[in-house]
Amino acid sequence: MSLLAIGTIAFDDVFTPYGEARMIEAGSCTYIAMAATHFAQPVQLVSVIGDDYNQDFLADLQRRGADLAGVEVVKGGKSFFWAGRYHDNMMGRDTLDTQLNVLADFNPQLPASYRNTDYVMLGNLSPQVQSQVIDQLEGRPKLIALDTMNFWMDIAMEPLREVLRRIDILIINDEEARQLSGELSLLKAAAKIVDMGPRILIIKKGEHGALLFDGDKLFSAPALLLPTVVDPTGAGDTFAGGLMGYLAATDDTSFENLKRAIIYGSAMASFVVEDFGTRRMQTLDQAQIDARIRQFTSLMEVAL
Amino acid sequence: MSLLAIGTIAFDDVFTPYGEARMIEAGSCTYIAMAATHFAQPVQLVSVIGDDYNQDFLADLQRRGADLAGVEVVKGGKSFFWAGRYHDNMMGRDTLDTQLNVLADFNPQLPASYRNTDYVMLGNLSPQVQSQVIDQLEGRPKLIALDTMNFWMDIAMEPLREVLRRIDILIINDEEARQLSGELSLLKAAAKIVDMGPRILIIKKGEHGALLFDGDKLFSAPALLLPTVVDPTGAGDTFAGGLMGYLAATDDTSFENLKRAIIYGSAMASFVVEDFGTRRMQTLDQAQIDARIRQFTSLMEVAL
């Protein structure tokens, strides 16, 4: 089944205790695409870049199964740029620079070929832009997933509430779930968030795994323990990309399959943090993914 | 099989956003005993109290299967007292008062009937006192577990290193594991800690569950999601008590059974936080424990 993904295609400068990388290809749409194309093709990308972007990288994305028809290239424009430095404990980071550039006037236009897509991943962008994508869809997709962040809760709560009423899956982290709901207990938070619209809630907890709420059913996925996290940037987007790619590939939105999709998303996220940007994803093969899925199985299995 | 447990038997004043409780029966030995006696009897307690302690409470502990022969009663002495206030988000707490009282001169003496015990739970006390207990054992127990905290790492690292060489299971939280090892990655931390002596490491992560390291085998247990945590005091001790009680009752220290023991310990901890002190543990029955174990199963099961 087809998957549509909107988000940023960016250049990042990233500084971590393990080193640095400059002007690397990054952005939520990039990470989603790198993960999702391992499972589903085509992944129809919606984004905006300047004509300064790396053509070889885009060609590689295309070869992997990304459809770039919806990626607007602004002549003479500069691509979105972000720079950040991770703290020594890797638990927090400081933004050093953000240059919206062509993203400032992003007005997504879906090519006709995208409008009847089956699965939609709305990466972290303003809720107004996320809504604009839904507006342009012709059929009702089987599943619309949305990622957002506390920034939009702070400055665009009403548009966020509007788009939440139009989606099926919300994917946020635990801190964001608490802020969105005003509840400390994630159980109470989930109940309130489901009342806002999304039928399914996935709460990412980083090194502590992820939680899936679907009606009265609940699943807790562990995270793999990694010896070294080189660059956490894009882990959440890669998780979402793996998850939605798996769902689109299997075309099964049952609770049992959502659980599997979370494990596949977690596996993909566990790879991306092993190197800067998308480097690790470039060399990833199916045997490596399968081996990591087996690690999840052994991490969780207990006979009670 | 018999289980020996050392720790404090205390009075606590506890203030949380949900209310307060004063002069309630608490302390690590108390929580361990309340949980462990659900599975194994007798639980041979080693502690010290003043003659101000609640006799009805002690009689109830005894009826549940606690052996109080090793609990020294200091005539005219006052029992250990702790008072604390939890923050609004329940993630941290401030100690308001600590009165060591009879604990200041605690010099544990094991009754002859305790010295050939099979399972030993060394609750959080100074590593010197924990070592004194091991010194008095006649046979080598099947399993010695130890709980400690960052406080002892700060002021008694050498005695702590000594006692770590004499135990089988170390039970600490993630922050303590990082401090003890100097490693950020829990995988690296575990490897370093195992080199210090304990064959098995259990890392408690509170609302994120627990990790079990046993050789090259690894297990991640989730935590149940609770609508309300009334009083987190004693959750770690209750976890340890449930875990060691289950191991002593089943007399099986295999990796598979350690995993089950962690789930049973987690279930017990999920109950104790539902009310102040040991109140919830007083009314707990086997059917309630069984129901909660089934919740863990459904929280974790996935067919990959």
Side-chain angles (χ1 to χ4, degrees), chain A residues 18 88-91 174 178 184-188 205 207-208 211 213 218-223 225-228 255-256 259-260 263-264 293 296-304, chain B residues 18 88-91 174 178 184-188 205 207-208 211 213 218-223 225-228 255-256 259-260 263-264 293 296-304:
Chain A
Y18 296 96
D88 280 350
N89 66 6
M90 298 292 262
M91 304 264 184
D174 43 359
R178 289 183 164 123
L184 195 59
S185 151
L186 294 180
L187 208 54
K188 289 184 183 173
K205 304 194 296 171
E207 65 161 341
H208 301 300
L211 298 171
F213 301 84
L218 188 53
F219 173 63
S220 174
L225 287 141
L226 305 172
T228 305
F255 180 62
E256 289 308 315
K259 295 198 282 189
R260 281 189 285 270
I263 301 294
Y264 276 87
I293 296 296
F296 273 95
T297 304
S298 95
L299 194 59
M300 306 170 71
E301 68 188 355
V302 55
L304 287 168
Chain B
Y18 296 96
D88 280 349
N89 66 7
M90 298 292 262
M91 305 263 182
D174 41 359
R178 289 184 166 123
L184 195 60
S185 150
L186 293 180
L187 208 55
K188 290 185 182 172
K205 304 194 297 172
E207 65 159 342
H208 301 300
L211 298 170
F213 301 84
L218 188 53
F219 174 62
S220 174
L225 287 142
L226 305 172
T228 305
F255 180 62
E256 291 307 315
K259 295 197 281 189
R260 282 188 284 270
I263 301 293
Y264 276 87
I293 296 296
F296 273 95
T297 304
S298 96
L299 194 59
M300 306 170 69
E301 70 188 354
V302 55
L304 286 168

Side-chain angles (χ1 to χ4, degrees), chain A residues 195-211:
Chain A
D195 277 345
M196 295 178 190
R199 174 169 62 88
I200 297 159
L201 172 66
I202 293 171
I203 297 181
K204 298 172 289 183
K205 304 194 296 171
E207 65 161 341
H208 301 300
L211 298 171

Side-chain angles (χ1 to χ4, degrees), chain B residues 82-102:
Chain B
W82 178 83
R85 182 185 299 279
Y86 286 85
H87 301 167
D88 280 349
N89 66 7
M90 298 292 262
M91 305 263 182
R93 69 183 188 190
D94 298 316
T95 291
L96 305 175
D97 196 3
T98 304
Q99 298 174 20
L100 287 179
N101 298 330
V102 296

Side-chain angles (χ1 to χ4, degrees), chain B residues 48-52 71-78 102-103 105:
Chain B
V48 62
I49 51 177
D51 54 12
D52 58 346
V71 178
E72 184 190 352
V73 183
V74 179
K75 285 243 165 70
K78 282 184 72 181
V102 296
L103 195 66
D105 304 310

